[in-house]
Amino acid sequence: MAGMKPSPGSPAAAPGGDVRPSLWRHRDFRRYLTGQSASVAGSSISSMALPVLAVLELDATPGQVAMLAFLGQLPPALLALHAGALADRYAKRKQMITGDLVSAAALATIPVAAILGTLSLAQLMAVAAVQGAAGVLHDAAAISLLPGLVDRSLIQRSNSRVGALFAVAATGGSSLGAALTALLGPARALLGDVGSYLFSAWCTARIQARESVPAPAARRRLGAEIAEGWRYVHGDPRLSVLTWVNATTSLALAILNTLWGLYLLRSLAMPPAVFGMVLGFGALGAATGALSAPAVARHVGPGPMMLGALALTPLTQIPLLLASPGTSWEITIGATLFVQLACAGAAGTTQRSIRQMITNRSMQARMQSVSTCLTSGARPLGALLAGGLGTAAGVRPALVTGALLLVVPLVVLARSPLRGLRQMPETPAPPDVPGTVVPAPGPAAATDASRERSMDGGAP
């Protein structure tokens, strides 16, 4: 796939490599960011309302609640590779709009069934599975659409803005979800998420950038294209390292996140209102990290910055493990969560930008889908490990295990040449030749270039 061309008159099409126009004046980027942020906020409404609906109104057991969460997480692990191949084969915007409309239709059945008095847990589980599948299709196309919307020099800044606004949108959506649930009830509160999907589809439809797609005659079996994407990622040491950094981080965080709320609310007796404030402070940290990532990467280099962020992340778990009930510990936990999510925001936007910069346009979605497949598969595995460890040894030992596993991605990155990356990649992506794997620079080339870029590689 030849990728996307900037729409005429957009800042990305402006001549002059040294000119760095404002992203807020880029119409297509604004439409993309507005629609995706609305969708993130809407998903946070559902994340707040669905558990309340299942537990308080449908009397779901803990096992049924776990199954509801499992069915929502399963499609990304099973379908990510297929969704990525489809996004590289067909028009990305159509795939995004289709995913949004399917999600809106499925979710709208819940308030309708609640009004009719026919709502059941089986319907909630079916909707969770359909939404998960539609979300995979949407996300595979949305992530790979961005590099074609903006000029290569703006990719890191674009991801920085996206990461920051998504963090704010998620926090705002959770607050809105709580308010709508209180005012309208959890079933009708979901109409807010339905509206966000429709708004996202409308914003995507207004993007004017042209897309080129492969001719039907050039397409091969979907399985062959999926395998090509897998080989592409694991054939390039830079992409491979960053993909495994993502997967191992996801496994460790899944263990921590599964038990984190239970530990704070029950073991540390944190009031629910304080718990919400702590989460909000963490979201502020994520936004701060994402916004500061370009400046920090320019100052110390993206490789050292990512390495430092991965080194700080396990340390932020220490106050949590040592904490006891009390206001001072609640403040400390909030501060460390701010730091943890700031590290995640800075490293996450930087590594995604690097991967997009070093990947052929025709492989963007499949490259991302390999990472999504592995990280999504790690989450249910981490949840199972957390449940087993928490039952057998206790919640605190399980959290210690998760914190120790956060050292693994640090070791993976530290043992790779990416640790010394001093500048973001600047060279254009190689020609789109199907089946071609572009090797990373050899040790000699990396040494020669170390004074300028150290390596032409990136992060997750």
Side-chain angles (χ1 to χ4, degrees):
M1 183 165 134
M4 300 185 58
K5 301 175 183 178
S7 55
S10 71
D18 295 329
V19 177
R20 303 186 70 185
S22 168
L23 282 169
W24 305 122
R25 298 177 60 188
H26 191 304
R27 289 172 300 181
D28 283 342
F29 177 74
R30 286 203 316 269
R31 291 164 181 166
Y32 172 90
L33 185 60
T34 302
Q36 299 311 298
S37 298
S39 184
V40 168
S43 297
S44 295
I45 294 175
S46 289
S47 297
M48 172 66 67
L50 278 175
V52 175
L53 181 61
V55 174
L56 298 185
E57 299 205 4
L58 297 178
D59 296 321
T61 66
Q64 289 170 328
V65 171
M67 180 58 67
L68 182 63
F70 176 77
L71 289 173
Q73 293 176 353
L74 187 61
L78 296 181
L79 302 177
L81 294 175
H82 299 79
L86 290 172
D88 279 337
R89 176 185 283 195
Y90 301 109
K92 292 178 172 60
R93 284 187 297 151
K94 288 184 179 179
Q95 185 166 319
M96 292 168 63
I97 293 170
T98 300
D100 280 335
L101 294 180
V102 170
S103 291
L107 197 61
T109 64
I110 295 178
V112 171
I115 293 172
L116 297 176
T118 59
L119 184 62
S120 67
L121 279 169
Q123 181 179 346
L124 286 190
M125 292 179 183
V127 169
V130 171
Q131 265 197 293
V136 174
L137 287 173
H138 173 278
D139 292 346
I143 293 172
S144 56
L145 177 73
L146 181 60
L149 284 182
V150 301
D151 185 77
R152 178 170 297 272
S153 65
L154 297 174
I155 286 179
Q156 188 186 18
R157 289 168 58 196
S158 299
N159 279 316
S160 171
R161 305 300 189 274
V162 168
L165 196 53
F166 279 15
V168 174
T171 304
S174 296
S175 301
L176 179 59
L180 290 175
T181 298
L183 291 173
L184 305 176
R188 290 181 176 83
L190 295 174
L191 291 173
D193 196 8
V194 173
S196 77
Y197 282 121
L198 297 176
F199 182 72
S200 172
W202 178 72
C203 289
T204 302
R206 295 186 67 224
I207 294 174
Q208 297 177 352
R210 298 187 299 272
E211 286 189 73
S212 333
V213 298
R219 297 171 187 157
R220 294 162 293 151
R221 290 186 304 107
L222 194 65
E225 294 185 359
I226 290 173
E228 181 185 1
W230 190 272
R231 290 194 303 269
Y232 183 89
V233 170
H234 291 282
D236 187 323
R238 303 164 297 177
L239 292 175
S240 179
V241 163
L242 296 173
T243 298
W244 286 110
V245 165
N246 271 351
T248 52
T249 300
S250 182
L251 176 64
L253 290 179
I255 294 175
L256 292 167
N257 292 340
T258 299
L259 299 173
W260 195 66
L262 175 67
Y263 180 69
L264 292 182
L265 293 170
R266 182 172 297 172
S267 301
L268 299 185
M270 183 177 287
V274 175
F275 181 65
M277 293 175 62
V278 167
L279 294 181
F281 203 52
L284 181 60
T288 302
L291 286 174
S292 63
V296 176
R298 284 195 302 270
H299 183 66
V300 302
M305 185 266 281
M306 291 187 296
L307 196 65
L310 289 176
L312 275 175
T313 301
L315 298 179
T316 60
Q317 305 305 308
I318 294 176
L320 175 68
L321 300 173
L322 298 178
S324 57
T327 303
S328 60
W329 278 113
E330 291 167 356
I331 295 172
T332 302
I333 290 172
T336 54
L337 183 62
F338 179 94
V339 174
Q340 176 189 333
L341 293 187
C343 290
T349 57
T350 300
Q351 57 79 17
R352 177 179 291 179
S353 300
I354 296 172
R355 286 191 296 129
Q356 290 171 341
M357 289 176 178
I358 65 177
T359 298
N360 290 356
R361 290 184 186 272
S362 63
M363 302 296 296
Q364 285 284 341
R366 281 172 285 176
M367 174 275 293
Q368 180 60 42
S369 72
V370 172
S371 178
T372 300
C373 177
L374 292 174
T375 55
S376 298
R379 289 183 191 123
L381 176 59
L384 290 175
L385 288 173
L389 288 169
T391 301
V395 173
R396 195 184 295 261
L399 292 175
V400 171
T401 302
L404 291 175
L405 284 176
L406 283 173
V407 178
V408 175
L410 170 64
V411 173
V412 172
L413 185 62
R415 289 175 59 86
S416 78
L418 295 178
R419 66 183 182 273
L421 181 67
R422 294 294 176 183
Q423 289 188 6
M424 298 294 289
E426 295 177 355
T427 54
D432 295 331
V433 181
T436 300
V437 174
V438 182
T447 302
D448 292 340
S450 62
R451 294 179 183 85
E452 296 184 7
R453 287 197 300 267
S454 177
M455 254 197 78
D456 204 17

